[in-house]
Amino acid sequence: MSVTVRWVLAQPELSLRLRGGASGLDRDIEFAITTELSDPSPWLSGGELLLTTGLGAPSAVDGYRDYLRRLFDAGVAAVGFGVGLTHSEIPEALIAAADETGLPLLEVPLPTPFAAVTKRVMDCLAEQRYDALLRASRAQPRMTRAVVQGGARAIVRELAVATDATVLLFDRRGRLLERHPTNVDGETVTEVSDLIDSVSEAASSIVAQAHSGHSMTVQRIGLGNSLHGCLAVVSPKPLGSVDQVLLGHANSLLALDFEKPVRLRAAQNQLNSQILGLLLSEDIDLEPAREQLAPAADDRGFVRALAGVCPSSGDAEAVASSIASAMNEAGRPLFLRRTEGRMTVLLRGTDDVAFARTLLAGAGESVRRSARIGLSGPLPVERFAEAIDQAQLAASAAGAGAAPLEFSALTGSALLTFDSTRQVLRSVADTMITPLADHDRDHGTELVASLRAFLEANGHWESAANVLGVHRHTLRSRIAKIESLLDCRLDVARVRAELLLAIIASQA
């Protein structure tokens, strides 16, 4: 708890006046004392507003400079100099020394007792302590309720709000599980992560200064010999005693949350999976059940679906088991459905391909090589079924053993990723494109290339002719020949689309 020098000067009843050291007006005062010692620095701890009449202060210019320099080095926040007793006014040399050191020098008029200054400062600090304790007494129950209602994410959010700081939660492998606020910059996350990696696991608490000047406080989370992760708070100033109490409370709650019995997690995961299956299979009004999917979403209420296709039910079970283990370790609720060789799981909308790959790490290498994994785009949680459809489509098009394929990557090539579609298009090519290819071979023409250029130019004569390197009239003649051979009209958009897909399929 502290007040600034600027705040003390602003108290009208004290009638204090700044005489030097204006650059230090934002220095923090944590205590107020009175002393007439010529060198009180051995008895100072820093943060004091030191009040003196100058009785013990030296009189020479160098003596004033040394006197203030010792106080500055001891961490004194400001000096209050009483006038009207030992000195009728503050010596000019002392004012010059204050400006030189940057230590604020306040003139205390004779009618203002030192006791009044001390009381005003200490009363304000006491009010701050009371407010902090009141804040803590309100924050602790909120955190306790949060662990029941929202788990680790809710605890992190409540701690961040209560301490007005950035809070990060890492698992025991150093992966970021939760953050609040959610827009924490990557540099801060990396700096905290590097700090954790640089310190032995034997250290239960770590305090360091970030490059930005902010304070980083890290506590390891665990019970007994079980280490579950680390809880970090990044704040503009080092945490006060009350904030440290809140951090310890959050740490204890997180340790309990991580220590939830395995049977309880398994039962909850099974219930989540049944809810997901029910929502996907029934047509009746299931709005109450949909609300149960909310824990799967990110802070915006978005989800992504991950779908897996495996050659056997056993492989699908291995993938599902790996995902369940990784989600439990990350403290995430599990919404997973498996049927034979297929499985689907809901992720947060902010989860990416890298996170999806970590979910598969626990499956055997042979299983990973055979699995095809698809990932939907982020969608509102109420559109979870659409997300699952996207993920299943992407999984069907993914390569076995390849990285999870995002649905967005299918844009422009979705139809050609499926064997059944390619077979239809190749049948069209055999009927429509083969006669043109035969004509090119027998007569030395370039009808197939001309048709593709024309179609890819969306029927724009000049653009297609430039691609082919011929005059547009030559191209018109070729297109007329193609229409004659195929008995079709290329001014029909549907015909053009079908022919372009057929050409692409035949040349793929």
Side-chain angles (χ1 to χ4, degrees), residues 414-486:
L415 289 175
L416 296 176
T417 58
F418 303 102
D419 290 336
S420 58
T421 306
R422 285 197 299 268
Q423 290 175 7
V424 172
L425 292 174
R426 283 171 179 164
S427 296
V428 174
D430 289 340
T431 303
M432 307 293 285
I433 307 304
T434 300
L436 301 182
D438 292 343
H439 189 280
D440 286 342
R441 185 187 63 250
D442 297 338
H443 300 86
T445 55
E446 298 181 10
L447 297 183
V448 175
S450 299
L451 177 59
R452 180 161 187 168
F454 176 73
L455 296 174
E456 290 184 339
N458 292 318
H460 190 275
W461 297 103
E462 196 70 39
S463 298
N466 287 336
V467 170
L468 295 168
V470 300
H471 195 275
R472 64 179 181 276
H473 294 314
T474 301
L475 178 60
R476 287 181 183 275
S477 177
R478 293 179 181 178
I479 295 301
K481 183 63 175 179
I482 292 170
E483 289 180 325
S484 175
L485 289 173
L486 300 183

Side-chain angles (χ1 to χ4, degrees), residues 11-343:
Q11 305 311 300
E13 70 274 18
L14 300 179
S15 302
L16 305 182
R17 187 160 65 103
L18 179 68
R19 297 301 307 278
S23 61
L25 285 177
D26 292 319
R27 292 169 69 87
D28 291 324
I29 297 172
E30 300 175 0
F31 198 72
I33 63 169
T34 300
T35 180
E36 299 298 345
L37 293 175
S38 59
D39 182 16
S41 57
W43 292 274
L44 301 175
S45 59
E48 295 90 353
L49 168 59
L50 189 146
L51 302 170
T52 180
T53 63
L55 185 63
S59 57
V61 173
D62 289 342
Y64 284 133
R65 183 182 296 110
D66 291 342
Y67 174 71
L68 286 187
R69 174 56 63 182
R70 286 194 297 270
L71 296 181
F72 182 85
D73 291 343
V76 168
V79 174
F81 197 96
V83 297
L85 293 174
T86 307
H87 296 272
S88 59
E89 60 181 18
I90 300 178
E92 291 295 330
L94 189 61
I95 295 173
D99 287 332
E100 181 181 330
T101 59
L103 182 63
L105 180 63
L106 316 182
E107 181 180 284
V108 184
L110 183 60
T112 302
F114 282 179
V117 178
T118 301
K119 184 176 186 303
R120 186 71 186 93
V121 170
M122 300 309 293
D123 284 351
C124 183
L125 295 178
E127 290 172 4
Q128 290 182 6
R129 290 189 181 92
Y130 175 77
D131 289 341
L133 289 173
L134 187 61
R135 174 167 54 87
S137 68
R138 291 171 176 170
Q140 285 180 314
R142 286 200 302 268
M143 287 185 191
T144 304
R145 288 193 297 269
V147 73
V148 176
Q149 298 172 355
R153 186 194 305 185
I155 296 174
V156 167
R157 181 178 62 251
E158 290 294 341
L159 178 60
V161 172
T163 58
D164 194 23
T166 295
V167 178
L168 307 172
L169 176 63
F170 297 85
D171 69 8
R172 60 186 178 86
R173 296 181 181 177
R175 295 179 300 186
L176 182 64
L177 299 180
E178 305 290 349
R179 68 179 85 185
H180 193 88
T182 55
N183 59 345
V184 181
D185 62 272
E187 184 177 349
T188 298
V189 175
T190 300
E191 196 167 2
V192 174
S193 180
D194 291 344
L195 174 63
I196 294 172
D197 292 340
S198 68
V199 179
S200 168
E201 288 189 2
S204 60
S205 183
I206 312 164
V207 179
Q209 188 175 38
H211 295 313
S212 63
H214 286 195
S215 175
M216 299 185 294
T217 304
V218 179
Q219 284 190 359
R220 299 194 187 277
I221 303 169
L223 289 175
N225 295 324
S226 299
L227 177 64
H228 298 298
C230 290
L231 182 61
V233 178
V234 182
S235 53
K237 297 180 180 180
L239 297 182
S241 57
V242 173
D243 289 334
Q244 289 176 0
V245 169
L246 292 175
L247 173 58
H249 185 61
N251 189 315
S252 299
L253 292 174
L254 286 168
L256 292 173
D257 189 59
F258 278 116
E259 288 283 342
K260 284 180 180 176
V262 174
R263 290 183 180 179
L264 177 60
R265 287 186 182 274
Q268 182 64 57
N269 291 339
Q270 184 178 9
L271 177 60
N272 292 342
S273 298
Q274 290 174 349
I275 290 171
L276 181 59
L278 183 66
L279 289 170
L280 290 172
S281 60
E282 297 291 342
D283 295 327
I284 62 176
D285 181 16
L286 295 172
E287 192 59 35
R290 288 191 179 90
E291 295 177 0
Q292 301 303 314
L293 298 182
D298 59 22
D299 289 338
R300 299 180 305 150
F302 279 61
V303 295
R304 299 184 85 170
L306 181 145
V309 179
C310 300
S312 69
S313 178
D315 287 350
E317 175 61 28
V319 172
S321 177
S322 174
I323 292 174
S325 177
M327 293 287 279
N328 285 338
E329 185 175 329
R332 299 279 197 89
L334 180 67
F335 293 86
L336 185 147
R337 188 189 189 203
R338 184 180 69 82
T339 55
E340 298 301 328
R342 294 177 175 269
M343 45 73 53

